[in-house]
Amino acid sequence: MSQTVFAPWTDPAAKPLIRFKNVTKRFGTFTAIEELTLDIYEREFFALLGPSGCGKTTMMRMLAGFEDPTEGSIELAGEDIVKVPPNQRAVNMMFQSYALFPHLTVRDNIAFGLKRERKPRDEVDARVEEMLRLVQLQPFASRKPHQISGGQRQRVALARSLAKAPKLLLLDEPLGALDKKLREETQFELMDIQEKTGTTFVIVTHDQEEAMTVASRIAVMKDGALMQVATPSQIYENPNSRYVAGFIGDVTILEGKATKLGDAYEVRWAEGQPPLRAKSTLDLADGAECQLAIRPEKVEIHGEKPSDDNVLQGKVIDIGYLGNISTYHVELANGQIIRAQNFNTERDTRRAFTWDDNVWVNWTENCAVLLDH
Amino acid sequence: MSRLSPFNVVSLTLGFAFLYLPMLILIVYSFNESQLVTVWAGFSTKWYGELARNEAFLDAAWVTLRVAFFSSTIATVLGTMAAYVLVRGGRFFGRTLFSGMIYAPLVMPEVITGLSLLLLFIGLGLDRGILTIVLAHTTFSMCYVSVVVSSRLVTFDRSLEEAALDLGCSPAEAFRLVTLPIIAPAVISGWLLAFTLSLDDLVIASFTAGPSATTLPIKIFSAVRLGVTPEINALSTIMIGIVTVGVIIASISTKRARVKAEADERMAQRTA
Ligand SMILES: Nc1ncnc2c1ncn2[C@@H]1O[C@H](COP(=O)(O)OP(=O)(O)OP(=O)(O)O)[C@@H](O)[C@H]1O
Ligand SMILES: [Mg+2]
């Protein structure tokens, strides 16, 4: 069976559902979004990830129609929507605060958007029942929002925004208020719903793990600009900058100067330490400033010197035990700390290495990522 | 249960005596047999009977109620609209000036408001009567309504309105279906405030009332100038009674609502 991979962004003929073209948004003299260009495709689960204040909500609000871009255009299915008021856009938003109507019951909250379309009564009722079933809220249908729990409110908000079957659903930190377990359950529920309904989702989150779990693609933002837009695994394994590498997951960054050596580079990074080799498609001049990003789980730790490339010697100064994995902090002779992660596959309380052990760490030349900024 | 200390008992008694003794005396003397207000001559309800036969007082009461009803209703509509625009309208030219101007009548001496309205009505050639009192009362009570409603609107979660727009409401529908039901308590208390202000206004009403329409406060005031009669005591007692019943009903219903809300919260926690 041949399964086609869902990756419309690699297809030059695919038409995007949303197209930001050189969008700039200023509040007074403050620039919240700068010259942003981005395509999002139908049926995508697109995550906006970035630190607080980087402009994620502003982008959502421009899509929903609550803010106008100062410059540039936003297209939905090929049409410029900048001038279309929010109530005439086929876009629904799930608000960060849920924004449930406190004077209406759960059922009436969900029915609210449908009733505005002046559909026949029984059609509305059927759709509301379907939504209640989807988010498992039938027993609570006639309660008011203050009579249900936080997690249930969040599901009402989701059902309400899905009820009109919008082309595009915007989720602004939908799971922010939930505890970890409920959060994870809901993430899978969201992906399930997205698959069932075929709606395009754009989700804002602070939480990198959440973005990695749910998204087809992630946009990492910083100060109103996109740093990288790619699939979760590309973002993790091939970050294009030091910022992205540091934003997602744990990483050790070494700074140095590159020299080309066949299809790889040799990085001289510290006096008295051996140079390190890394494969890269980057085109760097000899002696150019560069950084090496190494993920802890790619680093092996040994009690005896291995005969491979990229071997560094140091001393264990810290051990973080997390149950399934242990993180070792290894200090080199020049003070640099390298983090290495080992899976604890044995149920043995004795650790292979302990504090002040003399150890060697190494990784293969494919595992370190060479960055030029 | 902690007991009140003697000091607390004394302060409580003095405080409440200060507030309520005058009214108590008024109520007691409304049941006085004698024609003379200051001489007690036995219990009687005859002044209430007299009052019921006094056409002039009854007319004035009816005028007052109509004026209060219409002026507070119009003031509520206008005041709510003004509050909405000032809180929600964003920045527009002259916004600060407008919001300052809406509060100005609150501090304006009533004599001046009354006089300027009188001049306006004379200038327009309007005959003074119920209409002019309604207009005058609307003018000044509207500010109170807009203060009450706008203080509710500033704490109103704007995203509720945005959610309504997002789900397909026009701005007018969003106001009618979401904003108004939620701020209704503030609008109602604005209406009640305007109603009471209109009920007990004497100054502005005396400038704008004509011979065809006199309000109760004007009537009482002019009657008192000829001497306080037990009839007026009886009338005042009735008004105190109405107000007391109103306050009791209001506090019972707020208490009920609070108890219910607490029960709801508990229920939500159980199902969490
Ligand atoms: N109405 C506004 N007026 C002025 N500045 C604004 C306005 N809305 C947002 N900003 C500014 O624009 C920037 C981006 O805001 P935005 O709400 O998009 O951040 P965010 O990425 O959603 O942050 P968070 O993760 O904290 O929600 C912030 O610096 C914010 O102060
Ligand atoms: Mg935000």
Side-chain angles (χ1 to χ4, degrees), chain A residues 247-267:
Chain A
F247 199 79
I248 307 253
D250 208 358
V251 74
T252 305
I253 304 262
L254 303 176
E255 298 196 33
K257 291 194 179 0
T259 319
K260 191 142 181 106
L261 212 75
D263 62 347
Y265 285 90
E266 191 173 69
V267 179

Side-chain angles (χ1 to χ4, degrees), chain A residues 98-118:
Chain A
Y98 306 152
L100 297 180
F101 304 128
H103 58 299
L104 299 180
T105 60
V106 167
R107 176 177 280 113
D108 288 337
N109 262 285
I110 298 175
F112 191 88
L114 298 166
K115 285 187 180 159
R116 303 283 82 68
E117 291 175 332
R118 320 219 177 287

Side-chain angles (χ1 to χ4, degrees), chain A residues 27-28 30-33 50-59 61 67 96 172-173 204-206 221:
Chain A
F27 295 106
F30 176 79
T31 307
I33 299 286
S52 188
C54 69
K56 305 179 298 286
T57 299
T58 307
M59 278 184 68
R61 292 176 59 80
E67 306 281 0
Q96 191 163 2
D172 193 354
E173 302 208 25
V204 162
T205 173
H206 262 113
M221 295 181 67

Side-chain angles (χ1 to χ4, degrees), chain A residues 178-370:
Chain A
L178 303 184
D179 64 52
K180 191 168 156 59
K181 192 164 163 292
L182 196 54
R183 215 181 153 103
E184 279 169 7
E185 276 173 26
T186 317
Q187 283 167 6
F188 286 104
E189 225 169 279
L190 273 183
M191 292 195 291
D192 214 41
I193 290 171
Q194 197 255 357
E195 212 148 281
K196 268 190 216 152
T197 59
T199 311
T200 308
F201 279 31
V202 178
I203 186 172
V204 162
T205 173
H206 262 113
D207 179 346
Q208 30 146 322
E209 247 176 79
E210 182 167 296
M212 302 290 280
T213 312
V214 298
S216 61
R217 279 194 304 161
I218 297 176
V220 180
M221 295 181 67
K222 180 190 178 187
D223 298 338
L226 296 173
M227 301 303 289
Q228 187 171 8
V229 182
T231 62
S233 66
Q234 281 167 346
I235 294 257
Y236 189 77
E237 301 295 356
N238 295 308
N240 65 0
S241 62
R242 182 182 181 145
Y243 179 81
V244 174
F247 199 79
I248 307 253
D250 208 358
V251 74
T252 305
I253 304 262
L254 303 176
E255 298 196 33
K257 291 194 179 0
T259 319
K260 191 142 181 106
L261 212 75
D263 62 347
Y265 285 90
E266 191 173 69
V267 179
R268 298 190 178 280
W269 65 283
E271 287 292 319
Q273 293 285 350
L276 300 168
R277 278 172 62 91
K279 279 230 168 85
S280 176
T281 51
L282 283 180
D283 195 17
L284 293 178
D286 277 357
E289 298 272 349
C290 67
Q291 294 95 36
L292 265 184
I294 308 137
R295 301 270 181 210
E297 76 277 6
K298 307 270 190 318
V299 178
E300 283 175 37
I301 181 163
H302 307 271
E304 268 148 39
K305 183 169 184 182
S307 59
D308 302 311
D309 286 337
N310 296 339
V311 178
L312 300 171
Q313 188 188 15
K315 198 169 67 173
V316 176
I317 59 158
D318 213 349
I319 306 173
Y321 177 68
L322 292 174
N324 56 341
I325 49 177
S326 295
T327 307
Y328 297 91
H329 290 223
V330 176
E331 188 178 49
L332 308 185
N334 65 347
Q336 174 70 44
I337 291 171
I338 308 271
R339 270 165 303 194
Q341 248 167 24
N342 264 16
F343 275 97
N344 300 323
T345 44
E346 308 274 322
R347 263 187 74 201
D348 192 346
T349 48
R350 273 183 307 117
R351 292 197 193 85
F353 306 101
T354 182
W355 285 269
D356 289 335
D357 272 1
N358 203 17
V359 294
W360 282 266
V361 291
N362 89 310
W363 57 89
T364 65
E365 60 180 18
N366 284 322
C367 283
V369 181
L370 195 67

Side-chain angles (χ1 to χ4, degrees), chain B residues 11-25:
Chain B
S11 4
L12 203 65
T13 317
L14 282 181
F16 275 85
F18 191 80
L19 282 175
Y20 289 105
L21 206 55
M23 280 190 233
L24 202 64
I25 291 171

